[in-house]
Amino acid sequence: MSQTASRPGRRNTADGARTERPKGRFGLVGQEWRNQRNGILFISPWIIGFLVFSLGPMLASLYFSFTSYNVLKAPRWIGLQNYVNIFSNDPYLRDAVVNTLYLAALGVSAGTLLSLALAMLLNQRVKGIGIYRTLYYLPTMLPIVVSSFIFLLVLDPQFGVINNLLGVFGIPGPGWLRSPDWSKPALIVLGLWGVGNSVVIYLAGLQDVPRHLMEAAEVDGAGWWQRLRHVTLPMLSPVIFFNVVLAIIAAFQNFVSIFFLTDGTGGPARSTVTWGLQIYTNAFVNGRMGYASAMSWIMFVIVLLVTLGLFRLGSHVVYYEGGDGRRK
């Protein structure tokens, strides 16, 4: 006796004829719709939180960016005037842009090289390697305020550990955070203190490099530099790309450490004034919430364009296994 195979969304009648099952909302069969509904109910707390605490404030700040608003009075619509004032009348614009780009370019470059080098060292099979990995990751467990306070003591021009160590060798220590020429390098050094997260990600990527490729390169007589250049870095390029994108976004948003180390002034001599610090100063010190909202959206657009540019570049330089090895 032949049997009629059933399909999802269909049912068999007594005479063997097949009829369509009644569909629920959005064209889903009853059980599929219940599964979909239950899934939405489970993630509904996140959806509500996102709408209330993320999307809602973003849309509100977009509206405020076209108004004159100081929180105490109702916002007054002024159109694009805030954006015009930012690019024409803001005396801190040049310093904020230059300092932000300086910290982003050098900080991300130095952080990437250091974290990659540390990951390669921690990828060696030596006794006690787990202890070394833990020690390099521990600084990331400290809150940024605590790390900033530690570096405020370490980089003190008179009593700091670094300058005292340099004095032992007869080298005069720099002024660090009290010097306009050394304040930004001091912030970069503080950023390097927290590369542990990137190191862990790079370490995971290094351990995922196919061993047979390294062995084949060794058989062909490739030295460590050739293996690094032609095997390790191409296979690690997706991980490098991921870390670089996150680091650039974080560099543009850097605020807490600068605010703490400079008491919110961006000193000395405006050498640490950044875009993020200016947003805070205009919003909560000067009471120009509409102006600060406009600055926030300008930064959002800049970060978005930089990220899109990186993804476009990544499609040509990042290697992915499978297919032709390039991201489509």
Side-chain angles (χ1 to χ4, degrees):
M1 180 176 62
S2 63
Q3 296 181 347
T4 305
S6 61
R7 291 184 179 179
R10 294 186 177 183
R11 61 183 178 183
N12 298 335
T13 61
D15 58 358
R18 289 180 295 177
T19 60
E20 294 289 336
R21 291 182 181 178
K23 294 184 177 181
R25 298 182 183 180
F26 308 109
L28 298 176
V29 181
Q31 184 61 42
E32 294 176 346
W33 161 245
R34 286 191 293 271
N35 292 339
Q36 187 79 2
R37 180 198 59 193
N38 294 337
I40 295 175
L41 289 177
F42 272 111
I43 67 172
S44 60
W46 180 90
I47 296 175
I48 295 173
F50 173 76
L51 294 176
V52 174
F53 298 109
S54 295
L55 184 60
M58 287 181 63
L59 296 178
S61 69
L62 180 61
Y63 167 73
F64 291 146
S65 69
F66 298 104
T67 66
S68 176
Y69 181 47
N70 63 357
V71 180
L72 299 178
K73 297 181 180 179
R76 178 173 56 88
W77 184 268
I78 58 174
L80 296 173
Q81 190 60 45
N82 284 328
Y83 295 92
V84 174
N85 291 337
I86 290 173
F87 292 105
S88 61
N89 298 323
D90 194 329
Y92 293 93
L93 176 67
R94 181 180 178 278
D95 294 326
V97 172
V98 171
N99 293 337
T100 302
L101 294 178
Y102 180 100
L103 293 173
L106 294 186
V108 172
S109 300
T112 300
L113 293 176
L114 178 62
S115 57
L116 185 57
L118 290 175
M120 290 181 179
L121 290 175
L122 296 176
N123 194 40
Q124 305 301 314
R125 296 181 179 179
V126 297
K127 185 178 181 180
I129 191 63
I131 299 177
Y132 298 123
R133 293 172 180 174
T134 303
L135 291 177
Y136 277 106
Y137 183 75
L138 279 179
T140 64
M141 304 298 292
L142 293 177
I144 186 63
V145 174
V146 177
S147 300
S148 300
F149 180 76
I150 293 174
F151 266 79
L152 196 62
L153 300 177
V154 171
L155 299 177
D156 186 272
Q158 295 181 348
F159 308 105
V161 176
I162 294 181
N163 281 9
N164 287 336
L165 182 61
L166 293 175
V168 173
F169 300 96
I171 303 175
W176 296 113
L177 292 167
R178 299 182 186 178
S179 169
D181 296 329
W182 285 93
S183 57
K184 286 189 287 293
L187 293 175
I188 293 175
V189 171
L190 173 58
L192 298 179
W193 173 257
V195 298
N197 284 327
S198 298
V199 170
V200 171
I201 298 175
Y202 282 131
L203 184 59
L206 286 171
Q207 294 182 350
D208 197 41
V209 174
R211 182 61 188 169
H212 67 272
L213 294 180
M214 301 296 293
E215 293 174 351
E218 293 178 3
V219 171
D220 290 340
W224 73 269
W225 172 249
Q226 285 76 18
R227 295 196 301 271
L228 174 65
R229 179 182 176 185
H230 298 291
V231 179
T232 303
L233 291 182
M235 299 302 299
L236 200 63
S237 57
V239 181
I240 297 174
F241 177 74
F242 172 79
N243 275 336
V244 168
V245 171
L246 292 186
I248 289 177
I249 294 175
F252 276 98
Q253 297 176 335
N254 188 12
F255 161 74
V256 176
S257 59
I258 298 174
F259 177 83
F260 182 84
L261 292 173
T262 66
D263 293 328
T265 62
R270 301 184 183 179
S271 60
T272 57
V273 171
T274 60
W275 199 269
L277 184 62
Q278 279 302 99
I279 292 176
Y280 172 86
T281 301
N282 281 290
F284 300 104
V285 178
N286 300 333
R288 305 172 66 186
M289 190 65 69
Y291 190 87
S293 297
M295 293 191 69
S296 299
W297 276 95
I298 290 174
M299 184 173 71
F300 172 79
V301 172
I302 292 174
V303 173
L304 178 62
L305 293 177
V306 171
T307 305
L308 292 177
L310 288 174
F311 273 94
R312 187 174 184 85
L313 176 64
S315 63
H316 301 287
V317 300
V318 177
Y319 178 86
Y320 290 90
E321 288 189 276
D324 60 357
R326 300 292 178 179
R327 184 176 67 86
K328 297 299 184 181

